[in-house]
Amino acid sequence: MSERFKPPDTEESVACNLIPMIDIMFLLLLFFMLGADMSAKELEDVELPKADMVKEDEDTTVEGGPKRTNVNVFHVHNAKGYTCEVKEGGGVCRDMTHWAIAIRANHFTIETLGPELAELASLDPEESTGGPKGGKPLSRREIMIRGDRNAPYGYIQGVIEQCAAAGLYKIAVSAARPEGS
Amino acid sequence: MAGSQNQEENPVAINVVPMVDVIFCLCVFFMCSFKFKQIEGKFDSWLPRDKGLGDPNSLPNTLEELRVALFWDEKTSTVNRVLGSRRVKDDEELQKYIREGKADWERAGKPDTPVTIDGHKHVPWHEIVTVMNLCKRENIDTIEFAFGGGQ
C-alpha cells in the first residue's frame, strides 16, 4: 500500500487537557472550604422573625472588648427529629416541653440556664463593682437572643429574666432582614 | 481518561487522576455541607420592667409611657394588640398610634418616648419583634419589656 493512502494511526492518543478543569475545581473547592462553617455550633438552625429595621450586626468579639453569647431558643422538633403535630400543621406550638434553649450547642431549660448565665457573666465583669446602689455585680457581656419566630414569648421572657438575675443587662434581639430589603 | 499523556513527549508526567478524584470528593463534601447564611441584624433592648397588666380592660390611659399589650386568643390562635386603651387592627394602625403617641410626648417636652411591650406568654415571638420594628420605624429607641405579662 502506498504511503499516501496510509490509514489513520489508531494508536494516536486523544488526551484531553485537564488543567482548566483542575483550576476550576480548585477554585470551587476553595470557595466551599472558606464558606463552610466549621466552628462550634454557635448558631442553631432558627427561623428568625423578619424585621426591616434591624441594624447591621457588628462583630463585638474584638480583642479585649466585651464578649457576646448567643442564646438560641428553638423548637426541638427540628433538632431532634421529634414529631409535633401542631408544628407539622404549620400552627403555633405551645407545648413548653417542645422548646429548648441552646448556648454553644449545649441545651438548657429555664431552670438550668441561670447557673450557666451566671458563669458567663462572671467572665466579663463591669469595671465598677456592683450596681448603682451596691447591688449585684453587673457584666459587660452582651447576650444575643436568637428566638424562633413562633417561640412563646413567655419562654423568651424567662431567658431575659435569667439574664437580669445574672447581671447581664446588654440584651440584643436577633432578627432576619426580609429578602430584597 | 485523565492523565493519559504521551510518555515520550514528557517523561516526567504526573498522574493527576487520583488528585482529580480527591478534589471531586472534597468538592461534593463541601457542596453538600454548604449552607448560605441568612443575613441577620439585631435590636438592642432593655431589661424587663415592672409587672404585666394581664387584663385588656384594666389598661391605664395615662401619658406615662406607650404600652403595647399583646393578648393571646386561645380559641382562634391569634394575637390582639392594644395600645393604651385602643385596640389595633393591623401594623399600619399600630404604627400610626405609636407616631401619634410619640408626637404627644414631644409636645410635652419629652423627646425620648419609652415603649413598653407587655405580651402574654403564649404570644409568638415574631409579634413582639414586629412591635419593636414598628417602634424603630418611628425612631423610638427606648423599648422595654414588661415582666409577667398576662400570666
Side-chain angles (χ1 to χ4, degrees):
Chain A
M1 191 185 289
S2 162
E3 280 204 13
R4 282 182 68 186
F5 300 106
K6 189 180 173 187
D9 185 6
T10 51
E11 294 290 315
E12 191 178 340
S13 79
V14 282
C16 54
N17 188 3
L18 286 174
I19 308 299
M21 190 187 77
I22 292 172
D23 287 349
I24 291 168
M25 297 269 286
F26 263 121
L27 285 173
L28 275 173
L29 188 62
L30 200 66
F31 171 74
F32 286 114
M33 283 176 77
L34 293 175
D37 185 12
M38 291 292 173
S39 58
K41 204 173 180 187
E42 179 85 17
L43 308 178
E44 294 284 343
D45 190 10
V46 174
E47 193 186 346
L48 292 172
K50 299 252 190 302
D52 57 356
M53 294 302 290
V54 285
K55 65 179 180 185
E56 197 175 341
D57 188 17
E58 295 155 8
D59 186 14
T60 57
T61 56
V62 290
E63 192 74 25
K67 304 289 191 297
R68 188 172 83 183
T69 299
N70 290 298
V71 179
N72 303 278
V73 180
F74 60 103
H75 197 268
V76 285
H77 164 69
N78 298 330
K80 289 185 177 175
Y82 290 156
T83 48
C84 172
E85 288 179 7
V86 180
K87 181 88 174 170
E88 288 282 313
V92 179
C93 174
R94 286 295 165 265
D95 187 339
M96 293 296 178
T97 59
H98 287 194
W99 294 92
I101 301 162
I103 299 173
R104 287 184 176 272
N106 297 315
H107 288 208
F108 300 93
T109 62
I110 292 288
E111 292 75 29
T112 59
L113 183 66
E116 176 70 15
L117 289 176
E119 194 180 327
L120 286 169
S122 67
L123 298 175
D124 256 330
E126 283 271 359
E127 297 287 324
S128 58
T129 54
K133 293 176 182 174
K136 67 184 172 215
L138 298 174
S139 173
R140 59 182 188 149
R141 181 174 286 259
E142 184 182 305
I143 297 292
M144 172 74 95
I145 296 176
R146 299 180 74 248
D148 186 286
R149 66 187 305 277
N150 282 325
Y153 173 55
Y155 207 72
I156 293 177
Q157 205 176 24
V159 173
I160 298 170
E161 285 176 22
Q162 292 294 336
C163 290
L168 295 156
Y169 68 95
K170 291 180 181 174
I171 309 286
V173 170
S174 185
R177 279 181 198 273
E179 283 171 25
S181 72
Chain B
M1 189 58 201
S4 56
Q5 293 173 19
N6 195 339
Q7 291 288 324
E8 287 174 9
E9 288 175 9
N10 187 3
V12 285
I14 302 164
N15 186 5
V16 291
V17 177
M19 188 184 74
V20 171
D21 289 345
V22 170
I23 294 173
F24 257 124
C25 288
L26 283 170
C27 253
V28 169
F29 169 72
F30 284 110
M31 280 171 80
C32 291
S33 63
F34 191 79
K35 197 179 169 187
F36 284 99
K37 280 185 181 172
Q38 197 175 24
I39 301 171
E40 290 183 24
K42 66 174 184 177
F43 286 130
D44 290 323
S45 63
W46 276 255
L47 282 178
R49 184 185 179 200
D50 64 48
K51 280 290 199 188
L53 295 166
D55 181 10
N57 299 318
S58 66
L59 297 170
N61 195 15
T62 58
L63 197 65
E64 291 177 1
E65 64 187 358
L66 285 177
R67 180 175 285 254
V68 183
L70 296 98
F71 300 95
W72 178 246
D73 189 339
E74 200 72 57
K75 290 176 188 168
T76 57
S77 290
T78 53
V79 175
N80 298 316
R81 294 181 292 188
V82 177
L83 193 146
S85 58
R86 293 178 288 192
R87 286 194 181 272
V88 180
K89 281 186 293 185
D90 51 24
D91 287 353
E92 285 174 16
E93 194 176 41
L94 180 58
Q95 191 175 348
K96 184 184 140 206
Y97 289 159
I98 290 171
R99 193 183 305 127
E100 286 171 5
K102 190 185 179 216
D104 289 343
W105 269 75
E106 284 171 350
R107 274 194 291 274
K110 298 171 184 174
D112 297 324
T113 317
V115 172
T116 303
I117 301 173
D118 184 4
H120 185 273
K121 64 179 180 180
H122 283 173
V123 167
W125 177 236
H126 70 88
E127 293 282 351
I128 305 290
V129 174
T130 299
V131 176
M132 294 174 81
N133 195 44
L134 294 176
C135 292
K136 293 288 179 186
R137 279 186 193 168
E138 295 302 322
N139 298 318
I140 294 173
D141 290 323
T142 314
I143 302 168
E144 298 168 339
F145 297 110
F147 252 132
Q151 300 291 323

